[in-house]
Amino acid sequence: MNQAISLAISEEMDRDASVVVFGEDVAVAEGPFKTSEGLLAKFGPERVRDTPISETAFLGAAVGAAMTGLRPVAEIMFIEFMGVAFDQMVTEAALMHYLSGGRYEVPMVMRASVGSGLGFGCQHSQTLERWMLGTPGLKLAVASGARTAYGLTKAAIRDNNPVVILEPRTLYGQRENVDIGDESIIPLGTAEVVRAGTDVTVVALGQTVSVALEAADSASWSGEVIDLLSLMPWDRSTVLESVRRTGHLVIVEENQRSGGWGTEIASVVANEAFGVLRAPIHRITAPDVPVPYGPELEKRFLPSAAYVQEQVSSLLSTKKSPSSWWEELV
Amino acid sequence: MNQAISLAISEEMDRDASVVVFGEDVAVAEGPFKTSEGLLAKFGPERVRDTPISETAFLGAAVGAAMTGLRPVAEIMFIEFMGVAFDQMVTEAALMHYLSGGRYEVPMVMRASVGSGLGFGCQHSQTLERWMLGTPGLKLAVASGARTAYGLTKAAIRDNNPVVILEPRTLYGQRENVDIGDESIIPLGTAEVVRAGTDVTVVALGQTVSVALEAADSASWSGEVIDLLSLMPWDRSTVLESVRRTGHLVIVEENQRSGGWGTEIASVVANEAFGVLRAPIHRITAPDVPVPYGPELEKRFLPSAAYVQEQVSSLLSTKKSPSSWWEELV
Amino acid sequence: MSDTASPEVPQSTQRRHEVNQSPIARLERMIEIRLVEDRIQDLFAQGLVSGTTHTSQGQEAVAVGLAAATRATDFVCCTYRGHGHALALGMPPAVVLGEVLGRQIGCMGGVGGSMHLSDPDVGLLPTFAIVGAGTPVAVGAALQFATKKTDGVALSVFGDGATNIGAFHEGLNLAAVWNLPVVFVCENNLYGEYSPLESTTAVTDIADRAASYAMASEIVDGQDVDAVQASIARAVARARSGGGPTLVEAKTYRYVGHSRSDKAPYRKDGELEQWLARDPIELFAGQLLASGELNPDALDAMRHRQLQLIDEAQERVLASPTAAIPRMFENILSPSHS
Amino acid sequence: MSDTASPEVPQSTQRRHEVNQSPIARLERMIEIRLVEDRIQDLFAQGLVSGTTHTSQGQEAVAVGLAAATRATDFVCCTYRGHGHALALGMPPAVVLGEVLGRQIGCMGGVGGSMHLSDPDVGLLPTFAIVGAGTPVAVGAALQFATKKTDGVALSVFGDGATNIGAFHEGLNLAAVWNLPVVFVCENNLYGEYSPLESTTAVTDIADRAASYAMASEIVDGQDVDAVQASIARAVARARSGGGPTLVEAKTYRYVGHSRSDKAPYRKDGELEQWLARDPIELFAGQLLASGELNPDALDAMRHRQLQLIDEAQERVLASPTAAIPRMFENILSPSHS
Ligand SMILES: Cc1ncc(C[n+]2csc(CCOP(=O)(O)OP(=O)(O)O)c2C)c(N)n1
Ligand SMILES: Cc1ncc(C[n+]2csc(CCOP(=O)(O)OP(=O)(O)O)c2C)c(N)n1
Ligand SMILES: [Mg+2]
Ligand SMILES: [Mg+2]
């Protein structure tokens, strides 16, 4: 996936001289996760820059550069670091178009690595979509592999709004054939049905897409798996259309249960598909705990394919939300 | 309400010498919203301090002070300013107890004024509960008037965890008789049924509590109004118990529709009360726009009592979610 | 999707150039700013506006000096205390007043309010309501000039109190490391809200903080418009020629409270009087009178003209409807892409 | 609710005092740190640990010098590169290693990992994984001492790269304005991750940044444990006696990459060799040998003893179970109140 990201950025830099890249160690070192490989060599130190450890400064600089004529792609190494620069994302970048009465545009991309699975501990392993949900003026998408990372990154760079792209860290090393070119651009705000099915709609995002697919592929039930891809805006019609057919919705989230992105989906679908749902909407999430260290615990934090399979089976057979694995523990 | 807050803090400072107060202009000026009246005079400049415009520094200082033996009450003037210090709240304060294996405690309170209605514009008028939802290690409560501000503030100061208290800015000037003393403490995590009713459960928070009450008081339906008071944790049993009786849930939120705190409540209740609900859960919120300036627009942003009354009537008669006022406009 | 251009906008470019052209024009602009700010206070006092506002009486020389030292193609990031800068840079009084009063004639059609003025025609980015937020944004505008190899300059204007926030530090360091064409202008008016400088800030001269970034700095008398112009012009020249950023500290004072509701009880005895004795408008008028560039009658006429223009502007603003409800749904996301 | 005290904890207080007592003990602690860090790298290389780690070989004199200059009742805020400080302050090797390996013997029972060490018995707050975050927290710990009028001191340890983040600036200013007993210790190891200081930082000497806060500062040879101890001791004495904060910059170097996966290709030619030639352990051992306080046999014995102790610690760690699932639900909220 990291190569797909480098390539997407590189192609867009070729296409448009106003695209610039900066972040911590993205230039000389080609990115802590090698997502800017070759960019410095190809485009030079004016367009590809290493920054100090100053997330507020460089996100703010992205805002200013975007408003005045560049198209910056800024990298936040771990999404948690957005915490030290949050104002620039949700209060400045998001509102500058509005605050100029529509006269300034803010075509900037904020990329960040997210997620558990690599033993980075509780301050470097979250997905944190919840921080951004509902922010007027911001778009947000999440890659689920090389192909979608490529397609979303290109769409984000061409968009004239501030766009956040989250990249599941465990997927950087994943290899996948990616068709390149404009046809592979994934419009922001569109979900993809990645597996057709009839019994249940399973909405997943980022790292949980492959989990949901794996669960569905060997299940006794017929699951329609949707890769949501974008959270702001999110593709209501694709989800609702599917739920109307299947009568069941399961949401598979990497985040903690409370306040997770699935609450947004669940509350909308519960409302709009009321009467159509043949069982409660069931959210499969991590428990409300900091992401633990240690491979076994961290693995347990993220819903597994077997667990998803089991939970969905239970939901479909009982028409009741099964309890979560941790309920007997806490 | 501001007097109730000053009083609650003052009483707790009397009770416990480790309680200290700091923030921008909270000492000499007694608070931009007069919520620390008399504190400097009574407790002196060591316990009541003005800070520089350095939210990161003084929230961080609150964390350090709390871990080592003080009980700081830090004031964030407008909740939006949390954006420049977000890391200290959600990543430091919230996790220090966990990160010390339970050996350090972090008894600190972060108070912030929130909400629309005073013509402060889009960067000084939000409630932003959504920023904090789901953060492990953090508690969050919202005052709905002088009495609840008093009761929650005292509970927060005595709690050994980091607690965020949001104070609707329009209510500071509101006067209400408040019984003082320990009996008036409102335990964090408990909601209050502020009006009994049989047809519909109306859950409100902060500034929308009085809106919901006003709507219910002159309605053709019998509304049970719940002041949720705490969002982290929130009082599931009170809400669910009521919904099981009424069969209907309406949530009245000041925030934008997407990602609002009501999504958390709606997704849980839709799941747990599935089959019991006789109509879809209906969220009455502001539209997905920045809080506008100008009294008419700002008034329109916040759901009004008349609008709530109308929406609930429509829900109860049609068993369908009525459309929102802005749907014909966008 | 949106009515992007206010009918007043073309006028701002023209007004932008006036302050570059003559001392008389600069004096007149300072008078205009003073009168507009006074008017805003009056309108609030009359209950014609709700909400809050932050006016800048006493600080006019900084705004006009800055405008005089820069070009319409430069970019400027100001704060919530931005009316003076907006006017200095060319935004017409009716557009400023209109936004403050929530009218359609305002630069945001009235949905933004006093803290949110902007005008792309003269390089004024939306003024920043979060302390410090504009500083890194100005660095980004400067990055744009550097990347495109044009000779533009970005300016970041902020208060003394803002130099205690992280964004200030990060912004200055980044500008220095990347050697960008940006000028940081601190309006040191001795207070941040109700707190005197010394209670919140470990140094007396903000300019001293430039050393942390190996950055050039200057302290200038913020009540002397010529001095401000000259100082900022030096910094701008350094920036345009690739010499990197500068921190300019203008010592100034606000005659009014921090915001609408502040009566400023925290002032030191005699302090206001001392500063009033060095009023930037009186000083400059006195200078021009002394040099013969201006005569008393012309000054009188100027004051009258400005008063009349502002009366007219106010009339137009009050005739302009308040923002219509649909406006709040506009300009949230841009529909376009590259 | 939770098994708060690791069985190792009482030992840390005792170990805390050793480094205060004799140069020999300090040398031995430096050797211990080096060996533990090397061991951690080995265990990662062997695939026995997943995740990441940041070790501190080359910087031992700063950690031990700091511990020697302070008391168990002081508070210390360190970073993700914290193993050395934790050991210097007294945390036993098995507790450090145990946490890094995710074992129950670790200070967090294995749910935290390499970046999150803490030990209230010796005043070590949880190490900070977010760059800069610990600086204001240390200021808060100092505020506690000041408010309670005890003579404790808080210490904030951070890297050169961390001095570019807002929290550094805000923390130092606040400490200066409130004149708090805190010592800021910058471990300037010339790199922040893969970036050399000069590419990210506008000054060469971090100590120069103290002037922005009218703060005392010192630069010290970070490879000389005596010098570090003396310098921090001066700062601590100033703090304890009400003289306010100090910024101490220790010039040092890390021999290893930033984190586990970093081979450090960015080093300048000959740079590593130059620093290896001034290895803090060799320097100090050489000094003690020269003065006769130590003889070669004792040094050998010391190295062997440490190696053996660490082998033993490793054995105990590997015998300790990995964190059990229920542990991840503990210590999230405290059940208590005042
Ligand atoms: C991050 C943040 N904290 C606090 C505030 C509230 N606030 C608005 S203006 C102000 C004082 C700013 O003082 P200074 O920088 O000196 O500018 P001045 O108002 O004097 O022009 C404060 C504290 C804010 N807007 N943003
Ligand atoms: C806010 C934030 N940004 C980025 C990082 C990633 N990061 C971890 S360590 C580090 C380098 C820190 O350099 P320095 O302060 O010099 O300390 P050193 O590692 O050299 O000891 C970076 C960029 C982080 N942890 N937090
Ligand atoms: Mg000021
Ligand atoms: Mg370093």
Side-chain angles (χ1 to χ4, degrees), chain D residues 55-59 62 80-81 158-162 186-193 195-197 206 223 249-258 266-267 271 275:
Chain D
T55 60
S56 65
Q57 293 97 322
Q59 305 187 181
V62 185
Y80 50 87
R81 198 179 305 290
F158 47 84
D160 45 295
C186 179
E187 301 184 294
N188 182 351
N189 62 10
L190 306 181
Y191 292 88
E193 284 206 353
S195 293
L197 182 69
I206 300 299
Q223 307 312 88
E249 175 187 5
K251 305 272 192 192
T252 184
Y253 197 74
R254 61 166 156 74
Y255 298 159
V256 292
H258 163 69
Y266 43 78
R267 288 190 204 287
E271 190 180 70
W275 283 91

Side-chain angles (χ1 to χ4, degrees), chain A:
Chain A
M1 184 170 84
N2 47 12
Q3 291 178 8
I5 294 166
S6 299
L7 181 66
I9 299 172
S10 176
E11 288 178 358
E12 294 304 307
M13 292 183 80
D14 265 332
R15 178 177 180 266
D16 185 341
S18 64
V19 178
V20 298
V21 169
F22 47 81
E24 289 156 21
D25 290 317
V26 300
V28 178
E30 303 186 316
F33 305 109
K34 295 287 172 204
T35 52
S36 41
E37 218 160 24
L39 298 185
L40 175 63
K42 184 158 180 199
F43 300 104
E46 303 245 305
R47 291 181 66 194
V48 184
R49 290 173 183 254
D50 285 325
T51 66
I53 310 172
S54 307
E55 281 81 1
T56 295
F58 75 76
L59 276 193
V63 176
M67 292 174 77
T68 59
L70 297 180
R71 304 183 81 81
V73 179
E75 173 172 306
I76 298 285
M77 204 184 300
F78 287 74
I79 186 67
E80 283 85 354
F81 307 164
M82 196 62 93
V84 302
F86 199 51
D87 177 72
Q88 287 294 340
M89 177 166 74
V90 296
T91 307
E92 313 307 332
L95 289 174
M96 285 295 131
H97 181 62
Y98 179 77
L99 287 176
S100 67
R103 299 192 67 211
Y104 281 111
E105 299 196 310
V106 193
M108 63 184 272
V109 180
M110 291 165 273
R111 299 174 40 246
S113 82
V114 301
S116 61
L118 295 177
F120 283 118
C122 70
Q123 294 181 340
H124 286 70
S125 300
Q126 302 170 87
T127 57
L128 295 176
E129 302 89 356
R130 63 172 183 259
W131 284 2
M132 294 153 266
L133 288 182
T135 305
L138 207 62
K139 294 188 179 185
L140 170 62
V142 185
S144 57
R147 182 183 62 80
T148 56
Y150 177 85
L152 292 172
T153 302
K154 290 180 77 102
I157 294 175
R158 296 190 191 184
D159 200 284
N160 277 359
N161 297 287
V163 182
V164 180
I165 301 281
L166 305 182
E167 302 165 0
R169 207 171 298 114
T170 50
L171 303 181
Y172 282 131
Q174 185 240 47
R175 296 271 170 272
E176 190 185 0
N177 275 332
V178 176
D179 290 332
I180 64 169
D182 284 8
E183 304 69 41
S184 299
I185 290 178
I186 300 174
L188 301 176
T190 58
E192 286 183 1
V193 177
V194 288
R195 185 183 192 285
T198 53
D199 293 340
V200 55
T201 302
V202 182
V203 170
L205 186 74
Q207 205 176 175
T208 69
V209 173
S210 61
V211 172
L213 278 174
E214 190 188 330
D217 280 345
S218 61
S220 54
W221 34 269
S222 164
E224 176 141 306
V225 179
I226 295 179
D227 182 350
L228 198 57
L229 289 165
S230 282
L231 271 175
M232 291 158 57
W234 63 277
D235 189 345
R236 290 161 183 242
S237 59
T238 296
V239 174
L240 283 165
E241 191 278 320
S242 174
V243 172
R244 289 203 179 97
R245 265 189 293 105
T246 64
H248 297 92
L249 174 59
V250 171
I251 306 171
V252 189
E253 303 164 48
E254 179 171 351
N255 51 220
Q256 289 94 348
R257 185 156 202 82
S258 296
W261 60 266
T263 60
E264 165 72 15
I265 315 301
S267 66
V268 169
V269 175
N271 182 281
E272 304 218 359
F274 188 79
V276 170
L277 287 164
R278 298 206 294 270
I281 294 173
H282 183 59
R283 294 176 57 220
I284 300 176
T285 67
D288 276 333
V289 304
V291 184
Y293 182 71
E296 294 132 66
L297 276 70
E298 199 176 2
K299 212 170 144 198
R300 193 66 177 267
F301 179 84
L302 184 76
S304 69
Y307 176 65
V308 169
Q309 203 174 79
E310 206 180 284
Q311 291 256 305
V312 175
S313 296
S314 166
L315 177 79
L316 294 178
S317 61
T318 64
K319 303 295 175 192
K320 291 208 171 81
S321 256
S323 60
S324 303
W325 63 264
W326 60 84
E327 278 171 49
E328 60 207 37
L329 292 174
V330 285

